Amino acid sequence: MVVIAVVAVISAAAVPALRGITGANARQAAGEVAGTLRYLFDTAALRHATCRLAIDLDGHAFWAECAPRAVTLAKQDQPSRVARELEERFPDERDADRRRLMAQTHFGAFEDRLAARRVLPGSTSFGPVRVEGRSQPIEEGIAYVHFFPGGQAQRAFIPVVDGDLIFTVVLEPFTGRARVVAGTVEADR
């Protein structure tokens, strides 16, 4: 009995370490991100709503949010005055485009067990996320990938990293196809 107990304890300690070495954590997390992206693409089209996947790069988590209706960015007549007002309303957000989006949307948590908040397993984290419409990759804070009611999404490249192992989730904008690719995928300019 003692030998069996010792083997069980050693096995319980070795399995998480083995998952990190083989990349199973990163592969599993990339698969979950891809599944959530596909689900949100379909949900936005079927519910005629704008949804988004929030990717917390610092907290190693992701979750879904949806607005009750279609959401767009409106053009402003006086950009400098509006920019100053938005900077005052959202002092923690450095990106002007994200401040405009935050001011004009009514996103809320999307309550669905298939798109629940998930934390990446083990030492897995997100790499710099590239999203269509952003000139630079998002390396800290929260990155958003939007899904629109007309059956469209923002093209996105979401790397999931575990040590030296990288799996990139690539989202196609018109089909909603989210595929997992081993390694880093460069965004087309």
Side-chain angles (χ1 to χ4, degrees):
M1 288 288 246
V2 173
V3 171
I4 292 174
V6 169
V7 169
V9 168
I10 292 172
S11 297
V15 168
L18 186 61
R19 288 178 61 93
I21 292 170
T22 63
N25 285 335
R27 192 179 352 239
Q28 172 191 351
E32 288 178 359
V33 170
T36 303
L37 290 170
R38 285 188 294 265
Y39 182 70
L40 284 175
F41 183 85
D42 292 341
T43 299
L46 291 172
R47 293 185 182 191
H48 301 289
T50 303
C51 294
R52 66 185 181 187
L53 181 70
I55 302 166
D56 185 355
L57 298 165
D58 302 324
H60 310 291
F62 63 97
W63 62 90
E65 297 175 348
C66 283
R69 56 181 163 62
V71 175
T72 59
L73 288 177
K75 295 192 183 217
Q76 301 294 332
D77 294 333
Q78 299 172 333
S80 61
R81 181 183 60 80
V82 172
R84 280 193 307 273
E85 288 175 5
L86 292 177
E87 191 171 331
E88 291 171 5
R89 280 182 62 196
F90 304 104
D92 295 334
E93 181 56 55
R94 292 184 300 272
D95 185 25
D97 291 334
R98 287 177 67 178
R99 281 195 294 264
R100 278 195 298 276
L101 184 63
M102 289 168 68
Q104 297 176 2
T105 61
H106 304 284
F107 284 95
F110 181 57
E111 301 297 328
D112 191 313
R113 67 179 182 84
L114 296 176
R117 177 182 170 85
R118 294 197 174 124
V119 177
L120 299 179
S123 61
T124 306
S125 63
F126 290 108
V129 175
R130 292 192 173 274
V131 179
E132 181 180 27
R134 300 286 306 258
S135 60
Q136 297 295 318
I138 304 159
E139 297 184 17
E140 60 184 16
I142 299 177
Y144 294 105
V145 180
H146 289 87
F147 301 85
F148 306 104
Q152 291 182 330
Q154 289 178 299
R155 177 181 294 256
F157 299 88
I158 306 166
V160 179
V161 181
D162 192 1
D164 293 336
L165 300 168
I166 300 173
F167 293 92
T168 303
V169 181
V170 180
L171 176 65
E172 299 298 333
F174 296 109
T175 62
R177 179 179 180 219
R179 58 190 165 95
V180 177
V181 178
T184 303
V185 177
E186 291 299 319
D188 297 335
R189 290 273 166 187

